[in-house]
């Protein structure tokens, strides 16, 4: 789902319009497809940094939070993706600053993990996306994610509030998304075309 979102944003916004910052505790995870690799120098041109591990991730979040506190995001949309069991506790304040003030500065957070972030951050997360097995992203009384199939997700725009599975709610819908790994060659070709369009390559 993260790859699907990032490629969708890259197709819509040029590198001078969008900067992506990725923070992960899985350096060999899905983001490995977005950076240059052996035999393939192409990358997602909107990608500005990939921070791996707690210390590097915390430092990136503090730097981005300081930039927001000082007056903005440099006139460009910034998407910060935090994937996995990061950031460490000492980055909670920076994450809370980004959640509280980032939107007005053109900074958007995507937090992906097994549990909700600390309360000062979670209370700002009005849009919740629950994947199969990810009911923790929703309110305890909301069972909309209980019977999700692979390749589907619940998108809730009311902070996870809801009710029984199958109930109809205006602030919640089930969406389907493709598996990007099902067409690896096409995905690599798309990355290469975006890279070349941004001035990469010979």
């Amino acid at each position: 789902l993260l790859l699907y979102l990032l490629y969708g944003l890259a197709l819509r916004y040029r590198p001078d319009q969008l900067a992506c910052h990725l923070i992960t505790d899985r350096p060999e995870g899905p983001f490995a497809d977005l950076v240059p690799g052996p035999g393939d120098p192409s990358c997602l041109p909107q990608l500005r940094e990939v921070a791996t591990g707690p210390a590097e991730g915390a430092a990136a979040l503090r730097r981005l939070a300081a930039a927001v506190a000082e007056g903005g995001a440099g006139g460009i949309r910034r998407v910060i993706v935090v994937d996995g069991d990061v950031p460490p506790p000492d980055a909670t304040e920076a994450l809370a600053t980004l959640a509280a003030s980032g939107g007005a500065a053109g900074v958007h957070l995507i937090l992906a993990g097994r549990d909700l972030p600390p309360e000062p951050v979670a209370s700002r997360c009005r849009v919740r996306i629950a994947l199969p097995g990810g009911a923790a992203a929703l309110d305890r009384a909301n069972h909309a994610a209980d019977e999700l199939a692979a390749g589907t997700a619940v998108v809730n725009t009311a902070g996870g509030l809801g009710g029984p599975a199958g109930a109809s709610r205006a602030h919640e819908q089930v969406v389907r998304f493709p598996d990007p790994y099902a067409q690896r060659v096409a995905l690599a070709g798309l990355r290469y075309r975006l890279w070349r369009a941004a001035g990469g390559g010979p």
Side-chain angles (χ1 to χ4, degrees):
L1 178 58
L2 290 176
L3 282 180
Y4 183 66
L5 292 172
L6 288 168
Y7 273 100
L9 288 168
L11 283 167
R12 180 163 184 168
Y13 299 105
R14 301 187 309 270
D16 62 336
Q17 298 174 319
L18 173 69
C20 295
H21 304 261
L22 310 182
I23 298 168
T24 181
D25 59 359
R26 299 184 295 160
E28 302 303 323
F31 299 150
D33 287 347
L34 306 179
V35 299
D40 183 1
S42 67
C43 64
L44 200 68
Q46 289 82 357
L47 184 60
R48 299 299 172 85
E49 68 176 326
V50 178
T52 58
E56 189 177 344
L61 286 171
R62 285 194 291 267
R63 185 181 68 255
L64 291 163
V68 167
E70 290 172 3
I76 189 172
R77 291 181 179 87
R78 293 190 184 274
V79 172
I80 303 169
V81 179
V82 181
D83 171 50
D85 296 329
V86 290
D90 61 343
T92 299
E93 183 177 349
L95 197 60
T97 297
L98 290 166
S101 306
V107 175
H108 308 280
L109 285 173
I110 299 176
L111 308 178
R114 290 168 292 191
D115 300 307
L116 288 176
E119 180 53 33
V121 180
S123 62
R124 299 279 183 173
C125 297
R126 301 302 300 163
V127 178
R128 308 278 182 92
I129 301 177
L131 298 172
L138 305 176
D139 185 81
R140 291 183 179 180
N142 189 341
H143 300 283
D146 288 357
E147 300 176 2
L148 286 176
T152 63
V154 171
V155 179
N156 182 297
T157 59
L161 295 177
S168 178
R169 294 180 280 274
H171 62 266
E172 189 172 86
Q173 62 178 318
V174 175
V175 300
R176 297 182 182 275
F177 58 92
D179 177 5
Y181 293 115
Q183 299 187 33
R184 286 183 178 270
V185 174
L187 193 66
L190 173 59
R191 182 178 64 249
Y192 184 79
R193 290 193 300 274
L194 289 169
W195 177 64
R196 285 297 302 275

